[in-house]
Amino acid sequence: MKRLLTGLATGLLLAAPAAAQQVVGTLPTESKISDLYDGQRFGTFFGWLTTGLDPVGVRAKSAPVVGIRYDVLMGSPAYFTLRLYGMTSTHEVVDPTRPAANRLHGSATNRVLGGDASIEVSLTGDRAWHGIQPLTRLGLGVISGVANHFDATGYAPGASVVYLVGTGLRWSIRPNLDVRTDLNWMVHQMRYPEAFKFGTSGDTAVIRSGTMTPLVTNRAVTVSFTWGIFR
């Protein structure tokens, strides 16, 4: 009996080092989930802004868009984002003083500036899955034309409130560099001049029925590069 107990004790002592070398769970280098180096981030973005048609057809046409952004972690899984952006496009010039048959008066440059603030929610918290962090967002902003004249009356588009909803993917390339793609929908209101409704000639008015302040939608696809700051 004594020999049996001695043998069992010896076997357990020999097996202990081997058991201690076994790994429970997943090594950090092999994990599909990784921590993100969040805080404050600043970056630039570029992309394409698609504009839909308005009832009259004087909106800025689709064009490239560029801007800057600032992101800060509010607390997992929410982020606060600020963006400023601009684009240069063209638009059709409508002259309400002319008859309907020859009212189009060529095209002109259309410069647009905008900015928005949004709350982003990460679907993976403050971590990434395979290096990717999926995000959704809701925001509010302002968009405005700059020194643009849509028609012969000297009308220029003023500032409008923008309602934003979107989604995106963020890739953590290095601790201090992220690349992300975003898809945003931006809804805002246009305001036509009174001359479009009443006209200044005996011909039919530009807008014979319907609202003078239609809602229009922009869709933007962008790529961003952001860097950590104030660390």
Side-chain angles (χ1 to χ4, degrees):
M1 186 65 178
K2 185 177 179 181
R3 291 181 178 180
L4 178 60
L5 293 175
T6 302
L8 288 174
T10 302
L12 290 173
L13 290 173
L14 292 175
Q21 295 176 4
Q22 294 181 357
V23 177
V24 178
T26 305
L27 291 172
T29 55
E30 300 176 356
S31 176
K32 298 178 181 179
I33 304 296
S34 57
D35 293 326
L36 292 172
Y37 298 88
D38 279 322
Q40 300 182 73
R41 307 189 70 83
F42 180 81
T44 62
F45 65 89
F46 63 92
W48 186 262
L49 191 146
T50 302
T51 60
L53 293 176
D54 65 283
V56 176
V58 294
R59 289 194 67 196
K61 297 180 180 180
S62 302
V65 60
V66 296
I68 58 175
R69 65 182 298 149
Y70 168 79
D71 305 271
V72 61
L73 178 66
M74 297 174 58
S76 180
Y79 298 83
F80 178 70
T81 298
L82 293 173
R83 302 189 314 156
L84 294 174
Y85 57 88
M87 61 177 277
T88 298
S89 178
T90 60
H91 64 83
E92 300 295 335
V93 176
V94 173
D95 187 347
T97 65
R98 295 186 176 190
N102 61 348
R103 187 165 283 153
L104 291 180
H105 194 55
S107 61
T109 300
N110 195 170
R111 290 170 290 273
V112 176
L113 290 178
D116 52 59
S118 61
I119 301 296
E120 296 187 334
V121 176
S122 168
L123 303 183
T124 56
D126 57 356
R127 296 184 175 185
W129 182 72
H130 287 288
I132 299 175
Q133 183 188 40
L135 299 152
T136 59
R137 72 185 58 85
L138 288 173
L140 194 67
V142 176
I143 191 169
S144 177
V146 181
N148 299 315
H149 299 283
F150 272 23
D151 57 78
T153 64
Y155 164 72
S160 299
V161 176
V162 176
Y163 303 93
L164 179 146
V165 61
T167 185
L169 293 174
R170 172 187 172 192
W171 285 271
S172 181
I173 305 301
R174 294 199 301 268
N176 201 42
L177 173 63
D178 287 347
V179 177
R180 55 185 295 160
T181 60
D182 294 287
L183 173 61
N184 293 316
W185 289 266
M186 296 170 282
V187 180
H188 67 97
Q189 197 171 44
M190 287 187 65
R191 293 177 177 83
Y192 295 132
E194 289 298 312
F196 276 18
K197 186 173 183 178
F198 300 106
T200 56
S201 70
D203 207 342
T204 305
V206 178
I207 300 176
R208 287 175 286 179
S209 63
T211 179
M212 296 287 288
T213 56
L215 287 175
V216 292
T217 303
N218 297 332
R219 184 178 69 253
V221 178
T222 59
V223 176
S224 304
F225 296 88
T226 63
W227 295 266
I229 57 176
F230 304 127
R231 291 185 174 178

